[in-house]
Amino acid sequence: MLVTVLGRYSPYAPVGGACPGLLVQARGVALMLDGGPGTVARLQMQVPAAHLTAVLVSHLHHDHIADLHCLQYLMADQAPGREPLPIYAPGGDNPDRRWLEPSSFGARWVRLLPLPVDEGLAVGPLRVTFARTDHPEPCWAMRITDGCRTLVYTADTGAGVDLAPFARGADLLIAESTFVAANGQNRRGHLTAAEAADLALRAGVGRLLLTHFLPSTPAAEAEAEARAIFPPAEAAVEMRTYPV
Ligand SMILES: [Zn+2]
Ligand SMILES: [Zn+2]
């Protein structure tokens, strides 16, 4: 299983960067996790539109969904003969979910489905399960396994929910690290690098990748803070592909 970091910034993309998005590839399956600003262009550098299997949306904040409305046009233009692309997103009454609804034109290429947070999801050889995080908007962490290797993505979370049992023993944990100690005093629903490292340590994961940086958060500082607690930690690099 491979995971490519399409974007690592939030809540806006700095010059040359992109907001949260991951591409998971394993045995013929290509799963996009979240699709913030800038991620759909980068997705096309990694995988042809026809080969994208599904999109999973952790929550309905704009930095995670802004690019996904246009997937219907990408599919229509680049993969007109394919089956409709399933986009799984949390339900509820958030009007922002309508952003993900295909237009009457796009319904031929994209299908919006509820994120199956209770039962989980099987996508080819991959099994995905979900856990609610600590975030103002209902948000779901994802645990993805191919039966051999396991990836856990925290999506957006604060330290108010302990995700250690959910992330237990994962080979790779991709954790949000919006802040470092110096700028993380008034955070709500987000982690500092040290908190992400503490989660990795308690969950006994193999490696930790930090992401979801506020653009003014220095990634090198985040990496140093995390490594002091959990040495196999590193700041995610955009468009780098990591083996799980
Ligand atoms: Zn959020
Ligand atoms: Zn976010």
Side-chain angles (χ1 to χ4, degrees), residues 10-11 20 59 61 63-64 135 156 176 190 212:
S10 172
H59 68 303
H61 277 160
D63 53 318
H64 294 251
H135 203 55
D156 286 13
E176 81 126 278
H190 292 292
H212 200 277

Side-chain angles (χ1 to χ4, degrees), residues 47-219:
V47 66
H51 295 177
L52 186 61
T53 311
V55 180
L56 304 183
V57 175
S58 66
H59 68 303
L60 297 170
H61 277 160
H62 297 176
D63 53 318
H64 294 251
I65 64 169
D67 258 19
L68 298 180
H69 182 76
C70 293
L71 276 178
Q72 59 189 303
Y73 308 118
L74 170 68
M75 295 301 150
D77 189 42
Q78 297 291 327
R82 66 161 292 157
E83 291 292 303
L85 174 74
I87 298 179
Y88 296 91
D93 53 4
N94 186 329
D96 289 335
R97 195 169 191 272
R98 293 184 60 189
W99 179 247
L100 301 173
E101 288 277 6
S103 63
S104 54
F105 164 80
R108 163 71 184 79
W109 289 282
V110 164
R111 198 166 20 157
L112 181 60
L113 299 164
L115 193 71
V117 296
D118 294 325
E119 60 270 35
L121 183 67
V123 187
L126 300 181
R127 172 84 188 150
V128 188
T129 52
F130 304 92
R132 180 78 180 258
T133 74
D134 168 23
H135 203 55
E137 171 69 20
C139 180
W140 303 88
M142 303 178 195
R143 182 181 178 100
I144 302 177
T145 181
D146 63 1
C148 177
R149 309 290 290 179
T150 298
L151 164 71
V152 171
Y153 166 49
T154 65
D156 286 13
T157 191
V161 168
D162 184 10
L163 289 173
F166 181 70
R168 180 85 56 218
D171 298 287
L172 178 63
L173 172 65
I174 300 181
E176 81 126 278
S177 169
T178 308
F179 300 106
V180 289
N183 66 358
Q185 288 82 15
N186 296 314
R187 66 188 180 278
R188 177 167 168 254
H190 292 292
L191 297 176
T192 63
E195 288 169 333
D198 176 65
L199 169 62
L201 184 69
R202 289 184 298 102
V205 303
R207 285 147 51 230
L208 169 64
L209 208 54
L210 304 168
T211 191
H212 200 277
F213 298 115
L214 186 69
S216 60
T217 293

